[in-house]
Amino acid sequence: MNSRTATTSPATCIPWYQALGRRIATLWVVKMIGTTVGISGFFAIYFWVMHNPSSEPTVMPLTMLDHWVGVSDDAMLLYGSLWFYISLAPALAKDKAQLWTCARDAALIAGAGLAVFWLFPTTVPAFSVDWSQYPSLQFLKTADAGGNAFPSLHVAFAVFTAVLMERQLREVRAPAWVRMLNLLWAFGIVYSTLATRQHVLIDVAGGTLLAALVCWARSTRERLVLAGA
């Protein structure tokens, strides 16, 4: 079968981009409202936890890689793009079951991360950077002071979305370059957490591990369902 088509029935093949369009049109009102409410609710809890820590936040240590990655004002664009990026996974859900799985796993990541933030508050170091030289980052530092550092939920959501979208793109038989763009976007967001000095390498590792655990649990559940069918 051509790599640019997706099978919808034994007798019908449509291009991958049309298959994605159909997915976006499926339950689009539910997806739009659910994503908006979910992100808004997350932010409300996130900032409350950050401004009301249960104890004095621990300053996260730096590694050689943290010193090696330079500060970049341009990285702010990638950093902010996460909130559009993560909306793509639910938008491309093919049915209610896949949409529910996406929402449930995203909630697990958010809940686990927020619980850690509350129980073990952390913050990034006070970097010796003149933020006035980086206007975009100066705005970011005003809005988000670098608390709730470990694990990086920016990284966790980016990795989770990359894995889920890779699966969705394979389902519609999207070409390799589209799947590569997905992975590069996720990698860019991960990089941006370091380049904006919002996180350090240990935070990145923690976020990656959190996403990996949730994805592994989902795969295990699916295998068990298939085995019992």
Side-chain angles (χ1 to χ4, degrees):
M1 181 179 292
N2 191 295
S3 63
R4 295 173 178 272
T5 60
T7 301
T8 57
S9 71
T12 305
C13 293
I14 63 173
W16 63 271
Y17 50 85
Q18 288 186 14
L20 291 180
R22 290 186 179 183
R23 285 177 173 233
I24 293 172
T26 300
L27 301 169
W28 71 272
V29 174
V30 174
K31 293 172 178 177
M32 179 180 65
I33 295 175
T35 300
T36 302
V37 171
I39 292 177
S40 299
F42 167 78
F43 270 124
I45 301 173
Y46 175 89
F47 284 114
W48 186 90
V49 170
M50 185 170 68
H51 293 297
N52 298 276
S54 61
S55 59
E56 188 68 22
T58 298
V59 178
M60 298 303 294
L62 297 174
T63 65
M64 291 183 60
L65 183 64
D66 294 304
H67 293 289
W68 180 74
V69 176
V71 181
S72 172
D73 205 46
D74 295 333
M76 179 61 185
L77 181 61
L78 278 170
Y79 189 81
S81 74
L82 172 78
W83 305 109
F84 176 74
Y85 182 59
I86 63 174
S87 70
L88 295 178
L92 296 179
K94 63 182 178 181
D95 52 29
K96 284 184 179 180
Q98 197 172 86
L99 181 60
W100 163 248
T101 299
C102 176
R104 179 199 61 202
D105 290 349
L108 284 174
I109 290 174
L114 290 169
V116 174
F117 295 159
W118 170 250
L119 295 171
F120 308 102
T122 52
T123 186
V124 296
F127 295 101
S128 56
V129 175
D130 181 3
W131 296 114
S132 65
Q133 301 298 313
Y134 306 93
S136 296
L137 300 186
Q138 187 175 35
F139 170 79
L140 177 62
K141 297 302 177 181
T142 301
D144 187 351
N148 294 348
F150 179 90
S152 169
L153 288 188
H154 233 76
V155 171
F157 282 127
V159 173
F160 167 72
T161 301
V163 172
L164 187 53
M165 283 186 59
E166 166 64 15
R167 181 175 183 176
Q168 293 169 326
L169 292 171
R170 285 202 315 268
E171 288 175 348
V172 300
R173 300 183 183 275
W177 66 267
V178 175
R179 293 163 57 190
M180 181 58 67
L181 282 179
N182 170 50
L183 298 179
L184 288 175
W185 193 348
F187 178 80
I189 291 172
V190 172
Y191 154 78
S192 75
T193 64
L194 299 175
T196 58
R197 294 298 189 267
Q198 284 297 99
H199 290 284
V200 299
L201 181 61
I202 297 176
D203 305 334
V204 170
T208 302
L209 177 61
L210 175 56
L213 288 173
V214 170
C215 291
W216 172 81
R218 183 193 65 222
S219 297
T220 301
R221 286 192 301 268
E222 290 175 349
R223 285 196 298 269
L224 290 174
V225 170
L226 289 174

